[in-house]
Amino acid sequence: MQQPREPQEIPPGCPAHGNVQMYGPSFGADPDSHYAQLRPYGPSAPVDIAPDVPAELVTSYDAALYVLQNPASFVRDSRRWNALAEGRVPADSPALPMMGYRPNALFSDGAAHARLRRAVTDSLATVNEHQLIRQTQQSANYLISQFSTDIRGQAELMAEYAQPLPLLVFSELFGCPPEIGDRVIAGISGIFEGTPGADEVLGGALNELIALKRRRPRADLTTRLMEHSAQLSDEEVLHQLVTLLSGGTAPLAAAIGTSSALYLGEDWQIGLPVEDAVSQTLWNYAPIANYAAHYPTHDVELGDRLVRANDPVLISFAAANTDPKLTRHREQLSAKAHLAFGAGPHACPAKDPAFMIAVTAVETLLNQLPDVEMRVPFKALTWAPSPWIRSLVTLPIRFTPRAAPPSAESAGSNAGQTSQQQAAASSPSGTGPSRTGSGAAPQPKGGLFSRFLAWTKGG
């Protein structure tokens, strides 16, 4: 086990002989105070990332770079995890889905990692920038059309916009047909919501998608992965797709929500571009807050703390970005010097597309609803209690409702629906009441992706 050196002064609220808990409502409400409690330990500190799951959490910007850029001493293969191998991690621990081994680039090292990552980065490089912007705008316009005619002029932006938007974009990038896309969205949404059987739903849908692309290849991300010179097996293709979904959708939804809230907030300087709001989100509200478990190949010292080989070392991207030692010099750094997308050999391969999607999503919202504003102050918003993702729970907005759907032939128009019905219709999993309000057009059959595709075709 780790050999902790206790700080000379025990920070307020920090037990003298116990780890700081990085989960639950208290953490979600004020993570910065938790990071402040950890900083007196040095560049890293002992935490519980979940009940009965201890880890070393790096809070220093410089130390985070050292770990991220030193693959010889810090590897990602979680099959090395001491506590897991010794049966000390609860079987139902919420840490396991985030830290447990999967055969993808994220949990691989050396030549295996290089091979898988090359297939992913090369495939992403073929995505046309202008096409991606158009896909994002179209997805955004569809979702806005679903709540913009609410006669009360109110909506909940996380559930009705920020969360489903990346799911639609990724389903298109993957080349999903309607029914498979519905199940991909239901599966990945269910995994994040803890729905039993969601893994099987997602796996089954992606297996069908891969089989379809074997028969009928197309110009999409799935086909490019399958045809890459790395010659990935179908199972490897599946796991890379899952990685792109899990690493891209929830963090991107968080970035869209927080960036929108910052831009609409009372403290935002009028006239600054949307790009500044997204950059500020990545610096101060890193969507992936604490993650990237590394396993030292030998006992290592981080500051004055000794970490045993194969005990997990997690990176607090949120704490590193707000490191007080860094803040004093941040104006001298590049706007992209934040660690929200990681660094080193495992840095996010889709950071540029992700930034583009977030900016386009916020800009489209502002263009479509020019008088949109938040119904509560930014400081009153509630954050999810997760240690992994820094995301708003809700983002209530108001706006002048549209008198009619943007297109008369739009099959998905919801004029007259209540906001509760619209939230259900636009929820990532596509579940919820299917009632129809007075005068509302009936919803096309199928899930979120099917409804979106029907809307794009005008019925």
Side-chain angles (χ1 to χ4, degrees), residues 25 51 60 431-432 439:
S60 155
T431 59

Coordinates of all heavy atoms in Angstrom, one line a residue, residues 25 51 60 431-432 439:
P25 N -22.6 14.0 -3.1 CA -23.1 15.4 -3.3 C -22.2 16.4 -2.8 O -22.1 17.5 -3.4 CB -24.4 15.3 -2.4 CG -24.8 13.9 -2.4 CD -23.5 13.1 -2.4
P51 N -16.3 4.4 -3.0 CA -16.3 3.7 -1.7 C -15.4 2.5 -1.8 O -15.5 1.7 -2.6 CB -17.8 3.3 -1.5 CG -18.6 4.3 -2.2 CD -17.7 4.7 -3.5
S60 N -1.2 18.5 -9.3 CA -0.3 19.5 -9.8 C -0.2 19.4 -11.3 O -0.1 18.4 -11.9 CB 1.1 19.3 -9.1 OG 2.1 19.8 -10.0
T431 N -36.6 7.4 -24.2 CA -37.7 6.9 -23.4 C -38.5 8.0 -22.8 O -38.1 9.2 -22.8 CB -37.1 6.0 -22.2 OG1 -36.3 6.8 -21.4 CG2 -36.3 4.8 -22.8
G432 N -39.6 7.7 -22.2 CA -40.4 8.7 -21.5 C -41.8 8.7 -22.1 O -42.1 7.9 -23.0
G439 N -53.1 19.6 -30.6 CA -52.6 20.3 -31.8 C -51.2 19.8 -32.2 O -50.7 20.3 -33.2

